[in-house]
Amino acid sequence: MKLLIENQLVTLAELRSVWQGPVQIGLGKQARRRVAESNELITEIVRSGREIYGVNTGFGKLANVRIASDELAHLQENLVRSHSAGVGEPLDDAIVRLIMVMKVVALAEGFSGVRLELIGALCALINRGVYPIIPSKGSVGASGDLAPLAHMAGVLIGVGEARVDDKVVPASTALEAAGLKPLKLAPKEGLALINGTQASTALALGAVFRTENTMAAALVAGAMSVDAMKGSDTPFDRRIQSVRGHGGQIAVATVLRELIRGSEIRASHMACDHVQDPYSLRCQPQVVGACLDVLRHTCAVLETEANAVTDNPLVYADSGTVLSGGNFHAEPVAFAADHLALAIAELGAMAERRLALLIDPEMSGLPAVLVEDSGLKSGFMILQVTAAALASENKSLAHPASVDSLPTSLNQEDHVSMSTFAARRLHEMLDNVANIVAIELLAATQGIEFHRPQRSSPPLEGAVKAIRDVSPRYTEDRSLAADVGRVVELIERGVFCEHAASVLPAQSS
């Protein structure tokens, strides 16, 4: 994908493309003009000797320390080196690529005072596929994502490591691969690079895109479970949704109707005397619809943040002023991530409950544990235990991170957002839910096949085929661990998204 940063906002669909693969990025004429004018003001301020935080002063509680003019470059380099203090497993390249692109977007707004040369170097890294090694832990989400962004910035000055062509190499080698030499940072550039919410926002965006894939699979799995258990599609009737009015509920019910439409299994019991299904079948529009509304809200917050200027201080070239504020505080991202955590947990909780129904002959009308000769064979019994364990884990992981705060930086930064953890933990939750939904897909496929020669709907038979392409029918007890893993791969690749793409924010934007 080619991305020209000019005046327009970067969209969710473009950010999803950045997450999915390599990108070529550059600045348009107006963006270059804004950046140059902002940098000219910083140069003039330095020349005049006017005191500006982070330009010719120390940082945080040390802001009252004036820095000599001949030490200003050293000040910025020291900042990057000292703040490269992250720990933990490195972030994956997709998240790092999002971080870098959003940092370019923020700097190109022209409120950061950096040189075009700096942004050009960052673009060169992105365009060559050079991704700094950024540890995943060590940020509290205020004053921005300091440690993660310092590890990104370090590569520009020849410090740290980066991944190039799937190999981890020293920063100096990575710069050579991009046709660059180590930068000597100018006043404010180190601060502009490490101040910002881009790491938290990238982690949250990556979780949004994965949630879309998982939600689509959960909708397919839910429809398959309804058909496998000869449930009713009446609860998905448009009229029921319209009198309540929630957009997510209406959209989910529409998807479920389309998924089940044309099923021979459904047609076979239209005249039965069954009255109502359990909630995990019947209330999918209400529950998954609420999850979709949360996802849409989260997307709106993160799209705004992805286009935001979140460093400090901010440089206003038109008025010649520099203002210190707190745009680096990532509370909006933390709240959005915490809200999304609830939706992710509920997707898994509903899928686990449907799975429990599928293996219970009293509830499903299917053979116990979805296998002939149950008793001799244990079938899907322990897969439901696995799903229950994962759903329970997510209850703990869904606890809000944003309600916690520990003062940092000599009590100058006395309230922080914990946005980075709030966003990062979403990926562990999504790992759990992807596995739960994969298990339901396997179980529902097994259930549908017990109704042969009757067929399900064309979309659901397509899903059955996709499952059977990676997992043969279960007739004798065997380990299904590898089968679950292969279905998870289908979910993560977005194989089931075609049925719900029109309602997913980052795919329909």
Side-chain angles (χ1 to χ4, degrees), residues 243-255:
V243 297
R244 195 174 194 188
H246 290 295
Q249 176 179 335
I250 292 168
V252 164
T254 300
V255 170

Side-chain angles (χ1 to χ4, degrees), residues 83-91 134-139 147-148 151 424:
H83 284 54
S84 298
V87 298
E89 291 298 312
L91 297 174
I134 300 178
S136 57
K137 299 182 180 183
S139 174
H151 284 279
R424 178 167 49 81

